[in-house]
Amino acid sequence: MLSIIYEIIMFYGFQFDDYWTTILGIKRGAEEKNPIASPFASSPLLLALYKFGLGTFAAILIVQFPALNILLFIDTIFEAIITFNNIFELNKIKRKERG
């Protein structure tokens, strides 16, 4: 039971990191590349509701159906990759701004 709690904490941690780095990127002129999330990217609040609402729905499903636990692990890794990509892109924007 404790491992699922750690997995959910990591899941939400990377969800937040993805959200925050996306917001920072949008503020610096980047675009949301996810075609499903892009309609919500016009507002930080809408994007948060979308990301965390969908994430909470997924977490509830996984808690209700433990056989889906592997999906939480896979999505956490996927979110980590997205976050690292966002950080990489933010770094490129920052270097470009410096000239």
Side-chain angles (χ1 to χ4, degrees):
M1 180 63 180
L2 199 54
S3 68
I4 190 74
I5 293 171
Y6 290 139
E7 288 180 37
I8 289 173
I9 290 170
M10 283 180 42
F11 172 75
Y12 275 110
F14 279 115
Q15 289 284 336
F16 178 79
D17 290 342
D18 177 21
Y19 165 76
W20 187 246
T21 55
T22 298
I23 293 300
L24 291 175
I26 289 171
K27 286 182 178 182
R28 292 188 171 210
E31 297 176 24
E32 173 61 65
K33 297 294 184 182
N34 179 343
I36 298 169
S38 62
F40 303 102
S42 61
S43 162
L45 178 60
L46 284 177
L47 188 61
L49 289 172
Y50 164 76
K51 287 206 62 62
F52 297 114
L54 191 61
T56 299
F57 179 69
I60 289 170
L61 280 178
I62 289 163
V63 169
Q64 292 294 319
F65 304 102
L68 298 176
N69 193 21
I70 189 71
L71 296 177
L72 184 69
F73 178 74
I74 291 168
D75 189 64
T76 300
I77 290 173
F78 185 66
E79 289 293 330
I81 291 168
I82 291 170
T83 298
F84 292 130
N85 181 63
N86 288 352
I87 291 169
F88 177 74
E89 292 299 321
L90 282 168
N91 193 10
K92 281 186 359 185
I93 291 170
K94 192 174 186 178
R95 279 188 272 141
K96 193 175 186 180
E97 288 175 349
R98 287 183 185 166

